[in-house]
Amino acid sequence: MHELSEAAFNRQVDRIQDLIEHAVDDCGLDLEMEHVEGSLILRLPDAGRVVIGRQPASRELWVATPSRTLHFGYQPDDGWQHDGDGESLGEVLSRVLSDLTGYDVELDVDE
């Protein structure tokens, strides 16, 4: 994982949360979004919620789903990558939202 300063980390998290928010709006899913204490919360009717939150101490972005929490580190050339398999945040989040909603969701948030 690339070491970011706290300020750079927070800029990258703000940026990706903004991209996610716009991508979700563009794909037309029926859900509520809100920012709470540095986290972006996606509330899905009948499917719970997905929380995209920052973890400043570890410089990670965490995606909490109804069944698990996924951790992502930032790579300057590749963006946010899953710490387990290197899959991109966009790929993982698209799959999670597809699984939860039953719709084919494709979010364009990767760099």
Side-chain angles (χ1 to χ4, degrees), residues 26-84:
D26 291 346
C27 76
L29 284 177
D30 178 27
L31 55 80
E32 300 281 327
M33 290 184 279
E34 69 177 315
H35 287 272
V36 176
E37 297 179 7
S39 293
L40 174 61
I41 301 172
L42 311 176
R43 297 184 194 281
L44 301 127
D46 305 320
R49 66 185 189 162
V50 175
V51 179
I52 299 109
R54 66 189 75 215
Q55 300 299 319
S58 62
R59 304 290 196 269
E60 290 181 326
L61 185 70
W62 288 8
V63 176
T65 73
S67 62
R68 61 190 171 157
T69 300
L70 305 160
H71 301 200
F72 295 82
Y74 183 78
Q75 299 295 325
D77 295 331
D78 300 316
W80 294 97
Q81 302 292 308
H82 184 256
D83 68 354

Side-chain angles (χ1 to χ4, degrees), residues 1-16 53-62 72-74 80:
M1 181 176 69
H2 179 75
E3 263 316 302
L4 295 173
S5 69
E6 186 169 354
F9 167 77
N10 284 316
R11 280 192 303 273
Q12 290 300 329
V13 172
D14 290 343
R15 181 176 172 278
I16 196 66
R54 66 189 75 215
Q55 300 299 319
S58 62
R59 304 290 196 269
E60 290 181 326
L61 185 70
W62 288 8
F72 295 82
Y74 183 78
W80 294 97

